[in-house]
Amino acid sequence: MNSLRYFVTGGPMQLAMREWRQMGKWRGPISAFAIGALLGVTGPFGSQTALAPAVKYAFWMDVALVGFGAAAAAGRVLSSAALGGKQATRIVAIAAASAVPMTFFVAWAMGVVRPGRAFSPLQLLGLYPYVALVQLLIAWLTSPDNWMSAAAPVEQPAAAPEYPPEFVSKLPPALRRDILALEAEDHYVRVHTLHGSALVLMRLADAAALIDSRLGLRVHRSWWVAKDGVRVLERTSGRAIARLVDDTVVPISRAHLSAARTVLTG
């Protein structure tokens, strides 16, 4: 089960679908070939027994290629704005519109490979839904937002966490970068940076709640430390400490020790 999940979500399947999307202009002809082959195998409309194998496959390949052309033409005529911009509505509309000329084409092509075969108006109406189903598949495959695009989204790098403006703006301009730790001092927070420190009128709990947890964590009731500001975790005189890059020593309480080890040494 795990290997299947890897194949679908993070392994060969993701790679195959990404490469499929990147094939661009070749995706249509390849899809037409695949659909033509499928129709040749299934042999709809009585072609399985009525046509020789070579004729049958050539017939359905031609039908599939013309079907892709009809869908492409319908897609140019039917703008997304006119259909409300919904992808599903656009696909159905393209299939329905392109199936009209394709119904006549299929009827004509059947007459070519089976001389004397003719379709009455009523038979053409009965043929239309089957042609529309094929065109629906074609319209879906040629859509830029089909399931393959949705199943394998382009991975975007996660945005780097930043200190919130409402916190940073309280600091002098020279101390708004290289933050190492926050220390509680009565009703204030002393912000330690590589360039000095400053007091901010704010409770430590409120400051810690504002800051993205990816930047650091609370290690003591009086201290919050930045991940990038910690050089090493140590144990001295039976107590755990975090030594910052400027050699400031920050105590780590027992309640926060496990989280500190996980976050600061991970």
Side-chain angles (χ1 to χ4, degrees):
M1 187 68 182
N2 289 335
S3 61
L4 176 61
R5 186 179 298 111
Y6 166 74
F7 181 79
V8 172
T9 61
M13 179 63 80
Q14 282 272 18
L15 179 61
M17 290 188 293
R18 188 177 298 114
E19 291 176 348
W20 173 258
R21 295 197 318 276
Q22 293 172 347
M23 292 177 71
K25 63 181 181 179
W26 296 108
R27 190 170 67 176
I30 292 174
S31 299
F33 179 85
I35 291 177
L38 176 63
L39 293 172
V41 171
T42 57
F45 311 141
S47 62
Q48 185 72 22
T49 56
L51 303 177
V55 176
K56 180 181 62 173
Y57 280 100
F59 171 80
W60 286 117
M61 289 292 180
D62 288 340
V63 168
L65 285 170
V66 175
F68 269 84
R76 292 188 180 94
V77 173
L78 300 172
S79 65
S80 297
L83 299 172
K86 293 184 178 180
Q87 190 65 23
T89 303
R90 177 178 170 79
I91 291 173
V92 172
I94 290 173
S98 62
V100 174
M102 282 305 299
T103 298
F104 289 96
F105 177 80
V106 171
W108 172 81
M110 289 293 289
V112 172
V113 296
R114 296 180 61 189
R117 178 72 168 93
F119 287 79
S120 68
L122 189 59
Q123 289 174 322
L124 287 173
L125 287 175
L127 180 61
Y128 174 83
Y130 298 100
V131 176
L133 284 176
V134 176
Q135 290 304 112
L136 183 63
L137 176 61
I138 290 173
W140 176 67
L141 284 172
T142 55
S143 168
D145 297 320
N146 59 32
W147 72 272
M148 292 185 178
S149 297
V154 177
E155 296 177 1
Q156 299 292 336
E162 297 180 351
Y163 288 92
E166 58 266 39
F167 172 74
V168 176
S169 62
K170 298 178 182 293
L171 295 170
L175 303 182
R176 294 178 181 177
R177 57 190 177 90
D178 300 324
I179 294 175
L180 304 179
L182 310 180
E183 181 184 6
E185 291 189 12
D186 294 327
H187 299 294
Y188 291 84
V189 166
R190 179 169 295 279
V191 181
H192 297 267
T193 77
L194 278 177
H195 315 288
S197 66
L199 285 174
V200 172
L201 181 57
M202 178 181 285
R203 295 190 309 163
L204 179 62
D206 294 336
L210 276 178
I211 299 172
D212 192 315
S213 60
R214 291 174 293 174
L215 290 170
L217 79 163
R218 190 91 172 260
V219 295
H220 189 274
R221 66 180 181 179
S222 300
W223 285 89
W224 177 96
V225 295
K227 288 177 63 175
D228 293 341
V230 177
R231 177 187 296 165
V232 67
L233 298 187
E234 299 177 353
R235 181 170 288 276
T236 60
S237 303
R239 66 184 185 126
I241 63 168
R243 189 174 297 277
L244 306 186
V245 295
D246 65 348
D247 281 332
T248 297
V249 173
V250 176
I252 303 177
S253 67
R254 291 184 179 180
H256 295 91
L257 181 57
S258 177
R261 285 174 174 167
T262 299
V263 174
L264 301 177
T265 63

